[in-house]
Amino acid sequence: MDLSLTEEQEMLKKMARDFLDREAPKSYVRAMEEDERGFTPETWEKIAGLGWLGLALPEKYGGSGGGFLDLCVLLEEMGRALLPGPFFSTVLLGACTLLEAGSEEQKKEILPRVARGERIMTLALTEPSATWEAKGVHLKAKAKGADYILDGTKLFVPDAHVADDIIVVARTGRSAKPENGVSLFLVSGKAPGITHTVLKTIASDKQCEVVFDGVAVPARSLVGVLNKGWPVVEKTLQRAAVAKCAEMVGGAQRVLEMTVEYAKQRVQFGRPIGSFQAIQHYCANMVTDVDGARFVTYEAAWRLQEGLPCAKEVSMAKAWTSEAYRRVTALGHQIHGGIGFTKEHDMQLYFRRAKAAELAYGDADFHRERVAQQMGL
Amino acid sequence: MEFSFTNEEQTFREDLRAFLRNELPRGWTGGREDWDNDVFPVAQQMRKKLAARGWLTMGWPREYSGMGAGPVAQAIFGEEMLYHRAPGRDQFGLRMLGPTLMLFGTEEQKREHLPRIAKGERLWCQGYSEPGAGSDLASLQTRATRDGDDYVVSGSKTWTTGAHRADWMFLLARTDPAAPKHKGITFLLMDMRSPGVSVRPLVNMVGDHAFNQVFFDDVRVPCTNVVGETNRGWYVAMALLSFERSGVEHVGAARRLLDDITRAARETLRDGRPLTADPIVRHKLAERAVETQVARALAYRVAWLQSKGQVPAYESSVSKVFGTELNQRIANTGMQVLGLHAQLEKGSPRAVLDGVLRSYYLYTVAPTLYAGSSEVQRNIIADKGLGLPRA
Ligand SMILES: Cc1cc2nc3c(=O)[nH]c(=O)nc-3n(C[C@H](O)[C@H](O)[C@H](O)COP(=O)(O)OP(=O)(O)OC[C@H]3O[C@@H](n4cnc5c(N)ncnc54)[C@H](O)[C@@H]3O)c2cc1C
Ligand SMILES: Cc1cc2nc3c(=O)[nH]c(=O)nc-3n(C[C@H](O)[C@H](O)[C@H](O)COP(=O)(O)OP(=O)(O)OC[C@H]3O[C@@H](n4cnc5c(N)ncnc54)[C@H](O)[C@@H]3O)c2cc1C
């Protein structure tokens, strides 16, 4: 058992914190909430320059061959800084999925360009039914000559408005089991017949409605095997859920630190509010939530990386961390009093993102049901 | 990062499990308290067998009669023992006094006591609390007055678990009444057969005789039985508490209870369907399972810190609060899920889980109080962990 980071991970963490403090201060985070794209090309280029986009990609595709744990260390820092932009969608939803299931040709064409920061990717999975299960996939892909024609609507697709490539989860066959008959297609974000609308979300992140109206894609844009796409989606969802947890751990840690700092300084009734036992016990509860979230998240990440069975641990991590982050931000607000309720204060940035992160890739109820299944209930 | 156990640790866990399956009496369902009449004889047998294999002190260094396997192995031992509801550990000697003597004891004290703890020959009890000194331990009043080469001890201790079974007690006594509260306390080792020691049973809410009140009527304790320095016993006492709080026991107990409740819920039919078909039941059980995973991570973090030579500070308190409160939630969930049948006592023809759940539900009241209440733990986390200002 070794719960520490490796020396390289410590370095990565430190470098990431320095960079994000400098390049993604809260003024940037706030500005990007209003920005149409949600990030600046300059920041994106710098991120690519640091090698982060290719961190977990093999060297032969222009990456640096890191593991999933390295990626989680980085995401924890990004979550702490609330870095806006399509890093998560490009790497976790796009590149990792392609790496998992794409053809050699697809990987060679796309992944090195992702690593260089030249291509933004995302995954279009959920639909108006807003479920993370196979039965929610209705968007149709019909074979027509050498092409497939895509028709349907995808919802809550992160960063589709800026994506060069969208991996679209489509229904290609009817079967008694909804898991059968799902296929993945690699589609240009600018293909004729695609329209997107950026939705106004609680976190002011860029989730989109994407309508596919007779979008024609050649058969070679199929990712993986026809009708056998769902296990690939499941894998992606597992990685995304744990990666989202890593972001949440970083955010929760920052809220804890911010709140403890405030409790030490804010004086009421002639003494720092941090000396009141009620406040101290809230803080003690916060640290328990954060520490617990960190270890269940890293355990799930470690299992994923090592290729061990991990369905239960992944769901446990997402169920716990989703609620822990929300509790931590809620207590952070309680301790901050009125000041935290203002737009100028950073608390609100975390509070809003905590809720969005909870809802992404399955909320606590969703994952508890999965845990129940894994327990044989 | 590496969440797995070493091959040696894994093998130890499996060997211990196999041993417990073979050696525990048929149909054994526990037994949370070793000291009660029903359990004590089994505890003594198990203790001897575990000691013969060197497992009682698996994690202790070899120079102190251990097997040198380290804190993680010691945690595995605690987790598995509690998971199997196996009696026989003497937690006071093994987990608390042993490691404390290694830090603060004289050569003579180590030689006298450590091998006997390792062999399971000498049972200990903890004389900390008094009727007027619970959470505010430093307000204790038991006096030890120097007389030649002895201290003469008078006063009373309460809630003393196992005092009626123990051979020895480690206790705190006031040796300098004029000094500030924390500065006049000394840590002593006392033979329970010394003249002047008397033990009065206290029966707990479950109906077991586990704790006691102990009276000292001018009991003579040789000065060579002082651990650490005279009047500086508080630091020794606090080090011992940090060993007491590590928390993995609570996780072992929690996992077992949840497994039992889950099995019972799966096997119990209501309107022809198992209770676990009910989404509310599924989610409650799953929620407790998620929390158990968190508790386990927090507990093994403490063992891991110890294995790196660090002394856990707030981390043990986090683990203790979370683990003990989790046990209350699990027991409560079990009572709610299994319903009316869950209230029945062991031996009742319609009892579920042989009445274990009922007694466990009652027992879970205590661990959020002893070894420092949850409130006191949260104070420690805020103070030592987060550096918040004192009141
Ligand atoms: C939406 C909104 C509208 C408002 N409207 C008005 C208005 O119209 N008029 C007006 O006058 N005010 C208004 N207020 C101010 C409101 O009354 C204060 O926010 C409130 O009194 C708390 O004070 P504070 O924000 O300075 O927090 P603080 O007093 O600094 O408290 C911070 C934290 O410390 C805790 N704390 C403080 N003292 C103790 C103690 N003794 N023991 C334990 N914990 C303690 C608090 O409970 C809180 O958790 C409004 C506030 C909000 C958020
Ligand atoms: C089953 C059992 C076995 C035990 N075995 C032993 C043993 O073997 N040896 C031994 O020495 N002792 C033992 N104890 C005693 C145990 O350590 C004490 O019960 C514990 O320290 C609490 O003290 P108290 O019961 O006097 O409660 P009190 O200290 O009176 O506390 C009552 C309530 O007040 C709260 N409180 C007290 N101080 C504060 C504070 N500063 N801030 C906030 N809240 C506070 C407590 O958290 C609690 O909720 C045992 C207790 C139990 C229940």
Side-chain angles (χ1 to χ4, degrees):
Chain A
M1 176 171 299
D2 179 10
L3 305 182
S4 50
L5 300 179
T6 63
E7 233 170 86
E8 293 78 41
Q9 286 165 347
E10 290 286 2
M11 266 164 54
L12 173 66
K13 191 178 180 73
K14 188 180 172 322
M15 194 177 76
R17 187 163 305 182
D18 291 347
F19 173 83
L20 293 166
D21 281 350
R22 200 171 58 240
E23 301 288 336
K26 292 296 178 290
S27 54
Y28 177 72
V29 174
R30 286 186 157 80
M32 290 307 109
E33 287 196 349
E34 311 298 326
D35 185 84
E36 210 174 288
R37 291 170 62 87
F39 67 103
T40 62
E42 300 78 61
T43 311
W44 190 250
E45 266 166 39
K46 285 180 188 162
I47 286 174
L50 290 167
W52 289 354
L53 286 157
L55 182 69
L57 293 177
E59 282 165 22
K60 66 169 171 172
Y61 302 126
S64 45
F68 188 64
L69 278 169
D70 301 321
L71 198 52
C72 286
V73 168
L74 181 59
L75 286 163
E76 188 178 326
E77 289 305 313
M78 291 180 173
R80 178 188 174 91
L82 304 179
L83 176 75
F87 182 89
F88 194 100
S89 32
T90 299
V91 173
L92 272 307
L93 303 180
C96 285
T97 307
L98 202 62
L99 185 63
E100 169 95 26
S103 66
E104 196 52 37
E105 194 192 338
Q106 288 166 334
K107 292 187 213 176
K108 275 208 187 110
E109 190 203 328
I110 305 227
L111 296 181
R113 300 173 70 186
V114 165
R116 289 198 299 268
E118 294 164 11
R119 270 185 118 96
I120 291 169
M121 297 185 76
T122 191
L123 176 82
L125 167 62
T126 46
E127 299 189 9
S129 65
T131 158
W132 302 97
E133 288 169 292
K135 64 177 187 231
V137 178
H138 296 293
L139 181 138
K140 263 194 317 239
K142 260 204 182 141
K144 187 180 169 202
D147 288 347
Y148 281 90
I149 311 293
L150 275 50
D151 276 295
T153 299
K154 291 288 182 181
L155 210 52
F156 309 111
V157 183
D159 305 310
H161 66 308
V162 291
D164 302 296
D165 302 287
I166 304 179
I167 297 177
V168 182
V169 183
R171 177 130 329 261
T172 39
R174 293 266 155 232
S175 137
K177 281 185 77 181
E179 288 78 13
N180 300 332
V182 171
S183 307
L184 274 50
F185 293 92
L186 186 65
V187 182
S188 162
K190 278 122 203 147
I194 294 185
T195 48
H196 21 68
T197 319
V198 177
L199 306 164
K200 290 191 183 299
T201 56
I202 192 166
S204 303
D205 50 7
K206 309 294 173 194
Q207 300 182 42
C208 304
E209 172 163 356
V210 188
V211 177
F212 295 80
D213 183 9
V215 178
V217 293
R220 68 181 152 75
S221 55
L222 182 70
V223 178
V225 180
L226 188 70
N227 290 329
K228 298 217 159 53
W230 189 252
V232 178
V233 175
E234 281 278 2
K235 253 307 202 17
T236 293
L237 281 177
Q238 285 190 336
R239 270 190 305 264
V242 175
K244 192 48 83 177
C245 287
E247 280 189 358
M248 288 192 270
V249 167
Q253 175 70 36
R254 183 72 200 108
V255 169
L256 170 69
E257 289 168 15
M258 208 158 85
T259 304
V260 167
E261 215 36 57
Y262 185 75
K264 287 178 185 171
Q265 276 153 21
R266 170 72 172 169
V267 173
Q268 288 290 280
F269 301 98
R271 50 193 253 212
I273 57 170
S275 69
F276 294 120
Q277 194 169 48
I279 299 294
Q280 295 192 343
H281 286 194
Y282 285 159
C283 290
N285 291 349
M286 289 168 78
V287 88
T288 305
D289 269 339
V290 177
D291 285 5
R294 177 171 289 113
F295 289 115
V296 285
T297 293
Y298 276 103
E299 179 158 6
W302 174 77
R303 294 189 78 91
L304 260 171
Q305 169 169 296
E306 301 296 307
L308 297 165
C310 61
K312 185 158 141 189
E313 286 79 6
V314 166
S315 282
M316 285 176 153
K318 186 62 170 63
W320 176 261
T321 307
S322 293
E323 299 207 323
Y325 191 14
R326 181 171 45 70
R327 280 195 297 266
V328 165
T329 50
L331 284 176
H333 268 297
Q334 189 59 30
I335 294 169
H336 273 87
I339 188 85
F341 190 57
T342 62
K343 196 92 184 179
E344 293 102 274
H345 200 279
D346 289 350
M347 272 307 302
Q348 54 94 8
L349 296 171
Y350 287 89
F351 190 67
R352 289 189 288 118
R353 278 160 187 77
K355 181 47 83 180
E358 180 189 345
L359 300 177
Y361 315 116
D363 67 1
D365 282 339
F366 175 89
H367 283 287
R368 275 197 287 267
E369 175 53 32
R370 296 223 155 171
V371 170
Q373 287 163 17
Q374 295 289 326
M375 290 166 77
L377 298 181
Chain B
M1 216 172 271
E2 179 76 50
F3 281 82
S4 57
F5 296 95
T6 64
N7 285 339
E8 292 78 39
E9 287 162 352
Q10 198 53 40
T11 306
F12 171 51
R13 192 189 285 279
E14 278 152 25
D15 290 349
L16 178 59
R17 276 182 195 160
F19 166 85
L20 292 172
R21 270 196 300 272
N22 285 330
E23 298 292 339
L24 284 170
R26 274 209 169 279
W28 179 257
T29 51
R32 286 260 304 157
E33 298 273 15
D34 286 11
W35 297 273
D36 196 50
N37 288 339
D38 289 351
V39 183
F40 192 68
V42 185
Q44 288 291 70
Q45 281 174 14
M46 293 294 290
R47 182 156 29 245
K48 282 206 198 85
K49 290 180 180 167
L50 288 163
R53 286 172 165 73
W55 285 350
L56 280 182
T57 47
M58 186 74 192
W60 286 16
R62 288 184 188 278
E63 52 180 316
Y64 297 132
S65 322
M67 305 269 279
V72 174
Q74 200 71 44
I76 289 172
F77 178 69
E79 187 185 15
E80 289 300 323
M81 288 291 283
L82 267 290
Y83 185 84
H84 291 85
R85 303 201 178 106
R89 282 182 316 144
D90 177 24
Q91 64 216 39
F92 296 112
L94 293 179
R95 273 185 55 213
M96 302 177 212
L97 184 65
T100 307
L101 281 185
M102 289 177 214
L103 284 181
F104 296 98
T106 61
E107 261 324 296
E108 207 188 341
Q109 288 167 348
K110 290 180 202 169
R111 246 179 307 146
E112 165 70 20
H113 296 294
L114 294 178
R116 291 187 171 81
I117 295 174
K119 290 197 197 113
E121 290 170 1
R122 185 169 281 174
L123 295 188
W124 287 84
C125 65
Q126 176 180 31
Y128 272 27
S129 305
E130 298 181 7
S135 301
D136 185 11
L137 183 57
S139 64
L140 59 92
Q141 295 300 323
T142 291
R143 289 277 292 273
T145 315
R146 185 79 188 246
D147 179 28
D149 288 340
D150 291 340
Y151 276 103
V152 178
V153 180
S154 62
S156 167
K157 295 287 172 182
T158 193
W159 317 128
T160 322
T161 302
H164 59 306
R165 305 288 190 187
D167 305 297
W168 281 68
M169 171 191 273
F170 54 86
L171 75 152
L172 300 175
R174 190 159 296 288
T175 36
D176 183 359
K181 221 165 134 174
H182 296 87
K183 301 248 162 92
I185 293 173
T186 300
F187 190 105
L188 295 172
L189 307 177
M190 176 192 278
D191 188 334
M192 288 295 276
R193 283 161 311 191
S194 311
V197 176
S198 57
V199 177
R200 181 174 79 90
L202 295 166
V203 175
N204 67 29
M205 164 160 80
V206 193
D208 293 340
H209 172 199
F211 54 24
N212 307 271
Q213 185 161 8
V214 182
F215 300 92
F216 311 113
D217 183 11
D218 290 341
V219 182
R220 298 191 81 85
V221 175
C223 293
T224 49
N225 286 1
V226 170
V227 178
E229 290 172 51
T230 300
N231 292 330
R232 291 178 58 84
W234 185 251
Y235 304 99
V236 183
M238 290 301 108
L240 183 136
L241 280 182
S242 86
F243 295 119
E244 186 175 3
R245 283 171 187 154
S246 70
V248 79
E249 277 72 13
H250 305 299
V251 176
R255 283 207 297 125
R256 172 59 180 276
L257 189 63
L258 184 60
D259 284 356
D260 283 353
I261 294 166
T262 303
R263 184 167 39 81
R266 211 187 291 131
E267 289 166 2
T268 305
L269 300 182
R270 186 178 292 159
D271 300 332
R273 295 195 328 152
L275 290 177
T276 50
D278 178 345
I280 293 175
V281 170
R282 300 169 71 78
H283 279 224
K284 276 189 177 174
L285 293 175
E287 194 164 15
R288 299 293 91 82
V290 171
E291 291 166 351
T292 305
Q293 170 90 344
V294 173
R296 193 161 190 256
L298 293 171
Y300 274 102
R301 169 174 62 165
V302 174
W304 169 70
L305 285 172
Q306 286 167 340
S307 73
K308 297 214 314 174
Q310 297 182 28
V311 180
Y314 84 96
E315 293 91 346
S316 324
S317 294
V318 164
S319 179
K320 199 238 172 201
V321 174
F322 193 77
T324 54
E325 294 185 352
L326 169 60
N327 271 284
Q328 291 180 349
R329 287 196 293 276
I330 292 178
N332 190 44
T333 296
M335 295 296 286
Q336 291 172 337
V337 167
L338 298 174
L340 289 170
H341 291 85
Q343 65 191 312
L344 299 172
E345 250 182 74
K346 191 183 178 79
S348 232
R350 289 184 178 276
V352 287
L353 295 175
D354 197 25
V356 168
L357 180 54
R358 168 206 166 271
S359 58
Y360 209 96
Y361 177 73
L362 298 173
Y363 262 122
T364 55
V365 167
T368 51
L369 291 168
Y370 63 64
S373 70
S374 288
E375 290 72 26
V376 168
Q377 302 304 325
R378 287 190 168 92
N379 293 349
I380 292 170
I381 297 166
D383 177 21
K384 300 236 161 46
L386 299 172
L388 285 168
R390 300 219 174 179

